[in-house]
Amino acid sequence: MRTVTIVGASLSGLHAARELRAQGFDGRLVIVGEEPHHPYDRPPLSKTFLTGGADESRLALTDAEETAGLDAEWLLGVRARGLDPRGRTVLLDDGRTVSTDGVVIATGASARRLPGKSLAGVHTLRTLDDARALRAGLTRGPRRVVVIGGGFIGAETASSCARLGHTVTVVEAAPLPLVPQLGTAMAAVCAALHRRGGVELVTGTGVATLRGAATVTGVCLTDGRTLPADIVIVGIGAVPNSAWLAGSTLVPQDGVPCDDGCVTALPQVVAVGDVARVGGIRAEHWTSATEQPRAAAANLLAGRTLVTARTLPYFWSDQYDSRIQFAGRHREGDTVRVTEGEITDDGLPGESGFLARYERDGRTVAVLAVDRPRAFLRARRELRREPQRDERAPDGRQGRERQETEPAAL
C-alpha cells in the first residue's frame, strides 16, 4: 500500500492519520477536507467560543510541528464528489483526482436544516464558520433567541446565549429534552437546568414555519402560537455526509455500513467517526471519533478485520454551569437509581451533584453524573470492566447513538 487517502479533515480523520503513521505506514498520505481549515475542536463552538472565552487559536487540534511530522498532503477547501473503487480513485469537486490504494472515510455529518426558504438570522451550529456567524449576530445588542431542538447542541447554545444576556426560548417537540439520550427521569433534570438558567422551555410542540420576509422575525409553532425572534438557532440533529459515495457500490444506510472493525464492503476502504455505522450503530460521540481510527488503521493496513472498534459509548455536555457525563447504553424500561448525591425537590442536582445508575436484569448498563466527576470516573471504569453484551433493541434491530455536542461531546 503506497498511498492512503483520508476523506475528511475532521477529528476522526486526524486521528486516522496519526494512527496510520504510528502503526508504521510510511507511504503517501493525502487528507481531503471540505472546509478550508485544518482539523479543529468542535465541542467549544457552542460554549466558550460562542461566549468569547476562547479564540480560534485554542480550537486547533494540531500545531506546526505535528503537521510537519505527519508528512501529509492537505487538500483543504475542496469536497470529495465520488469514489471509484475499480480505479482506486477519489474524485474531487474541482476536477482533480487522487489515485490511492486505501481510503479512510471520515466525512462526518452536517447539521440538519429546516425546510423552506433561507432567512437572515437563522443559524445552525456545526462548523467553525457557523459559529463565527452566530457569534457575530449575538454581539449586536440584546436579542430574542429561539432555539429549535432541546438536544445537546440546542441546550448548550441556549445556555451560552443566556449567559450573554439574551432572552432565550427553547422549543422541543418531545415532552422533555434529551429523553432518547437519558431517559425520562433524568431528562427532567435537564429541563430543570433550563428553568434555573432563566430560559423558557416550550415542549410538546413542533415548528410549523418561520416568519419573516428577508430576515427572521418569528417562529410559528404547530400549536398556533408564534414566538418573536431576532435569531433562530436550529439544533435538530445531523445528517451523515455520505451522499458523495453514491455509485460506488457502498449503499449508505444512515451512514456508511461497516463491520465491528470499521471495515466496509469495499476492499481497502474503512470508515470512522460520525459518518460510520459500525456494527449496525452510528455513534456521534467524541470518543468514537478518537477510538475507532486505531482499529480502522490496523485493519486497513492488514487488509482484513483483525481488531474491533466497539467501545463503551461516553459523552459529556456543559449546560448552565453544570457538567453532564454519561457512559454506557440504556434502553427505555431500565431502572434508574441515584446512588450518590441527590436530586432536590425542584428537580435540580444537589450542591454536590449526583450519580445515577441505569440497571437492567440486575446489572449496571449505564451511568450518569451531573457535577460529580470523580464518582463518574470511578463508575465508568467499573462499567468498562463489565462484559459487554449485544445491545440490540428488543425487536432485533440496532440503532443510532447520537451525541449532538460534536459538534460531542461531543
Side-chain angles (χ1 to χ4, degrees):
M1 189 174 292
R2 298 177 181 178
T3 301
V4 173
T5 300
I6 299 172
V7 185
S10 56
L11 174 69
S12 58
L14 174 63
H15 276 262
R18 290 171 174 169
E19 286 295 338
L20 285 165
R21 291 306 192 205
Q23 295 184 34
F25 176 69
D26 59 2
R28 180 186 178 214
L29 183 59
V30 182
I31 303 176
V32 178
E34 179 180 352
E35 296 182 59
H37 319 292
H38 279 80
Y40 57 88
D41 202 17
R42 294 184 190 272
L45 295 181
S46 58
K47 298 184 278 291
T48 53
F49 180 80
L50 202 59
T51 59
D55 59 23
E56 293 184 19
S57 65
R58 295 178 61 182
L59 301 178
L61 291 171
T62 58
D63 55 24
E65 182 179 356
E66 183 185 22
T67 300
L70 286 175
D71 189 24
E73 299 176 33
W74 296 84
L75 306 181
L76 300 177
V78 61
R79 181 184 305 177
R81 66 174 177 85
L83 175 63
D84 179 4
R86 293 184 180 179
R88 294 191 176 185
T89 302
V90 176
L91 314 176
L92 305 182
D93 249 358
D94 62 5
R96 285 180 290 175
T97 60
V98 180
S99 298
T100 189
D101 302 302
V103 175
V104 180
I105 300 170
T107 43
S110 298
R112 192 183 302 275
R113 300 179 182 275
L114 289 175
K117 64 180 180 179
S118 297
L119 295 173
V122 178
H123 299 264
T124 56
L125 187 54
R126 183 80 184 185
T127 69
L128 175 56
D129 291 341
D130 291 340
R132 285 172 172 170
L134 178 56
R135 189 164 76 167
L138 293 171
T139 59
R140 298 169 187 161
R143 306 272 93 181
R144 296 169 299 179
V145 179
V146 175
V147 179
I148 302 173
F152 290 112
I153 287 296
E156 291 177 358
T157 307
S159 173
S160 295
C161 291
R163 175 172 291 184
L164 290 170
H166 301 292
T167 302
V168 185
T169 302
V170 174
V171 179
E172 169 58 51
L176 287 168
L178 296 172
V179 169
Q181 294 86 352
L182 304 179
T184 302
M186 295 299 105
V189 176
C190 294
L193 291 177
H194 283 292
R195 292 192 296 270
R196 185 181 69 181
V199 170
E200 182 180 359
L201 180 61
V202 178
T203 61
T205 185
V207 173
T209 188
L210 300 181
R211 178 171 291 179
T215 301
V216 69
T217 59
V219 177
C220 301
L221 305 181
T222 54
D223 63 7
R225 286 180 288 173
T226 297
L227 304 176
D230 304 304
I231 291 178
V232 172
I233 302 163
V234 181
I236 54 175
V239 180
N241 293 326
S242 54
W244 67 280
L245 294 165
S248 67
T249 72
L250 277 181
V251 181
Q253 301 169 5
D254 185 39
V256 178
C258 310
D259 66 10
D260 283 350
C262 302
V263 176
T264 75
L266 287 177
Q268 307 302 331
V269 178
V270 297
V272 293
D274 290 358
V275 75
R277 192 172 180 85
V278 179
I281 294 176
R282 187 169 70 85
E284 293 179 18
H285 302 311
W286 193 90
T287 45
S288 299
T290 57
E291 293 176 358
Q292 288 172 357
R294 180 174 299 176
N299 296 333
L300 180 63
L301 296 176
R304 59 195 178 97
T305 302
L306 297 178
V307 183
T308 61
R310 292 291 302 278
T311 56
L312 184 73
Y314 161 64
F315 59 80
W316 77 92
S317 178
D318 294 327
Q319 303 175 22
Y320 306 103
D321 297 321
S322 285
R323 167 148 289 198
I324 300 168
Q325 295 172 285
F326 184 93
R329 298 182 177 92
H330 83 92
R331 293 204 299 247
E332 193 65 32
D334 290 345
T335 300
V336 185
R337 292 191 304 117
V338 174
T339 57
E340 297 185 37
E342 65 172 349
I343 298 174
T344 64
D345 292 340
D346 54 4
L348 288 165
E351 289 187 7
S352 60
F354 69 86
L355 176 78
R357 296 177 183 270
Y358 295 71
E359 297 173 344
R360 186 187 320 143
D361 299 329
R363 58 190 292 266
T364 299
V365 294
V367 291
L368 168 72
V370 178
D371 297 330
R372 200 133 176 141
R374 291 185 180 179
F376 177 81
L377 180 61
R378 182 179 67 251
R380 183 187 176 197
R381 286 173 176 167
E382 294 171 358
L383 193 61
R384 294 180 79 163
R385 289 195 291 266
E386 286 282 334
Q388 296 297 302
R389 300 180 184 178
D390 183 9
E391 295 295 334
R392 292 180 184 270
D395 60 3
R397 297 178 299 172
Q398 286 185 322
R400 168 175 49 203
E401 296 169 352
R402 287 189 172 175
Q403 207 268 40
E404 293 180 344
T405 58
E406 289 207 72
L410 296 61

